[in-house]
Amino acid sequence: MYVKLLLAAAMALPLAAHAAETKKPTPQQEKMSACSKEASARKLSREERNKFMSSCLSGKTAAPAKQDK
C-alpha cells in the first residue's frame, strides 16, 4: 500500500512543479508588485508605506509602468 502511495506521489510531484512554473501572476498581483517596488524605492516607513500601498492599489497613486521582459 505504501509503495502505491509513494509511486503516486512521485509521479504527481513533477506535474505540480511544472504547473507552478507556468502560472502567470494575476493583474492584481502585478499591481501589488509594482506598488510594493515603488514604495521600497521611496523608502517609506510603516505608516507612510501602508497609506501609499492603499492609495496605489486603489488607483489613486500612479504606479510605475510595467516593464515587459
Side-chain angles (χ1 to χ4, degrees):
M1 180 171 162
Y2 290 111
V3 174
K4 288 182 182 179
L5 182 62
L6 184 59
L7 184 59
M11 290 174 54
L13 187 60
L15 295 174
H18 177 68
E21 290 175 7
T22 60
K23 188 174 181 181
K24 291 185 177 181
T26 65
Q28 179 64 24
Q29 290 170 326
E30 290 176 350
K31 191 175 194 180
M32 178 69 117
S33 177
C35 291
S36 181
K37 286 178 184 176
E38 178 67 20
S40 294
R42 292 182 182 195
K43 299 180 181 178
L44 300 175
S45 64
R46 280 188 210 172
E47 191 172 317
E48 293 170 329
R49 183 182 181 92
N50 289 342
K51 287 179 183 178
F52 173 79
M53 289 295 290
S54 178
S55 65
C56 183
L57 292 172
S58 69
K60 295 177 184 173
T61 303
K66 180 183 153 189
Q67 297 178 356
D68 292 326
K69 292 183 180 179

